[in-house]
Amino acid sequence: MSRKNGTFFDMQFITSCISTMLVLMLLGMVVFFVMTANNLSVYVRENISCSVVLSDDMKEPEIISFQKKLEQKPFVKQTTYISKAQALKEQTEAMGTDPAEFLGYNPFTASIEIKLNSAYANTDSLKWIQEELLANKKVMEVNYPEELMDSVNRNIKKISFFLLGLAALLTFISFALINNTIRLGIYSKRFLIHTMKLVGASWSFIRRPFMTRHIWIGVLASAMADALLIGMAYFLVKYERGLLEIITPAVMLTVMSAVFVFGIAITSLCAYFSINKYLRMKVGDLYNL
């Protein structure tokens, strides 16, 4: 177990690092998907627009003032003013013909497109938001895609439950796999542990090199897993720049921290309990394992 005799970083140490790294990488991917799923749900909700249709009696200075007031509301993330002329231009491009040419007037009205903060992007919130907006007599109507919003929220809820269940299952599997790897490593040293007990070494003295070794395994395995996860995230963002809205620095910091903390905690705890198991055993029991 000493660094001096070259047995600290032996083949067993390397294989333990690699196996632990693979398990931690799996766990990190689950944390990554849970975090990005949350960001994706926020991104989708905040990109569903509702349209506030304004009366023709509302002059542009009034509209600009009304827009500024809207932007101060807690439920508003972003607003976009669409004038009558702009609405006509957009519809002409979409339809391939100008409705004003055969009608003799511009049939469209000015409107303000509102993107909501994600916490308010649900039909319950939109009902009272609609009532609040319609309190202004120059607001003709408030349109929002109710079915789309309900569908998005239902699907997000289902995906969230699935990912949380998957995270819990894989956490348990990760714990079991790392625990078995560590137990096998300490099992091979059970007679060494007993010999140290016979010469009068204290439990803490016997435990110390094993704990140091497995903490190092946790640190190195976590570092390797984090490096691979960062590499994967980098290639995803390089392939599609729009993913920067979802794969944020905060997400990657959370994933790396979770992997690092879990890696050290699980290797330390598993090593501690496994060593104590053999410290409590009598010599006869060591041969019956």
Side-chain angles (χ1 to χ4, degrees):
M1 295 285 290
S2 169
R3 288 185 179 88
K4 291 180 181 179
N5 60 23
T7 59
F8 189 86
F9 296 103
D10 54 15
M11 186 55 66
Q12 188 183 69
F13 181 93
I14 294 169
T15 55
S16 294
C17 277
I18 293 171
S19 59
T20 304
M21 178 268 292
L22 292 172
V23 176
L24 290 175
M25 189 175 170
L26 178 66
L27 185 69
M29 288 175 68
V30 174
V31 177
F32 174 81
F33 285 126
V34 169
M35 295 293 296
T36 51
N38 179 64
N39 279 359
L40 180 61
S41 72
V42 170
Y43 178 79
V44 170
R45 286 173 178 171
E46 291 184 345
N47 278 276
I48 297 176
S49 299
C50 65
S51 179
V52 181
V53 181
L54 306 172
S55 167
D56 288 339
D57 296 335
M58 200 172 191
K59 304 304 180 186
E60 190 156 326
E62 284 184 273
I63 295 173
I64 300 301
S65 176
F66 179 60
Q67 183 182 13
K68 287 180 180 178
K69 288 180 181 178
L70 281 178
E71 288 174 346
Q72 295 173 359
K73 299 288 184 181
F75 54 82
V76 174
K77 180 177 185 287
Q78 182 184 333
T79 64
T80 305
Y81 168 49
I82 301 174
S83 65
K84 287 170 63 73
Q86 186 179 347
L88 176 62
K89 181 182 177 183
E90 289 177 0
Q91 289 299 319
T92 300
E93 289 175 357
M95 297 166 60
T97 183
D98 187 352
E101 287 184 359
F102 56 88
L103 290 175
Y105 65 94
N106 184 350
F108 301 105
T109 57
S111 64
I112 296 176
E113 296 291 320
I114 297 176
K115 289 184 179 179
L116 301 170
N117 284 315
S118 61
Y120 297 91
N122 56 75
T123 50
D124 290 337
S125 295
L126 274 165
K127 284 177 183 177
W128 64 261
I129 290 171
Q130 186 179 37
E131 289 176 6
E132 183 177 323
L133 294 173
L134 289 172
N136 187 323
K137 301 301 181 184
K138 292 186 178 180
V139 173
M140 295 173 61
E141 58 183 309
V142 178
N143 300 318
Y144 59 91
E146 184 174 352
E147 290 185 8
L148 174 62
M149 197 166 287
D150 286 340
S151 176
V152 166
N153 286 324
R154 278 197 307 271
N155 290 332
I156 286 171
K157 193 174 289 185
K158 289 177 184 176
I159 292 169
S160 298
F161 281 127
F162 172 76
L163 286 175
L164 286 173
L166 182 63
L169 176 63
L170 288 179
T171 300
F172 175 77
I173 292 171
S174 300
F175 182 90
L177 289 172
I178 294 173
N179 185 46
N180 284 338
T181 301
I182 292 172
R183 286 178 65 185
L184 285 171
I186 296 175
Y187 171 81
S188 65
K189 306 290 185 182
R190 66 192 187 282
F191 291 111
L192 174 61
I193 292 171
H194 181 68
T195 302
M196 293 174 75
K197 281 172 60 181
L198 289 177
V199 298
S202 65
W203 282 24
S204 60
F205 181 84
I206 297 170
R207 195 186 294 121
R208 191 178 302 119
F210 288 96
M211 293 296 297
T212 302
R213 178 185 176 91
H214 286 91
I215 287 171
W216 270 108
I217 288 174
V219 169
L220 294 175
S222 299
M224 289 189 292
D226 281 340
L228 288 171
L229 288 167
I230 290 171
M232 289 170 60
Y234 171 78
F235 283 113
L236 283 172
V237 169
K238 189 176 180 182
Y239 178 76
E240 179 54 64
R241 299 294 296 177
L243 289 174
L244 279 170
E245 293 283 342
I246 299 166
I247 306 174
T248 61
V251 166
M252 293 313 301
L253 184 61
T254 302
V255 171
M256 290 170 63
S257 300
V259 169
F260 194 78
V261 170
F262 186 84
I264 295 174
I266 194 67
T267 50
S268 301
L269 286 172
C270 291
Y272 181 84
F273 289 118
S274 295
I275 294 162
N276 283 352
K277 174 184 174 182
Y278 294 111
L279 286 171
R280 285 191 293 266
M281 279 187 178
K282 295 179 181 180
V283 64
D285 296 331
L286 297 175
Y287 292 96
N288 296 325
L289 291 176

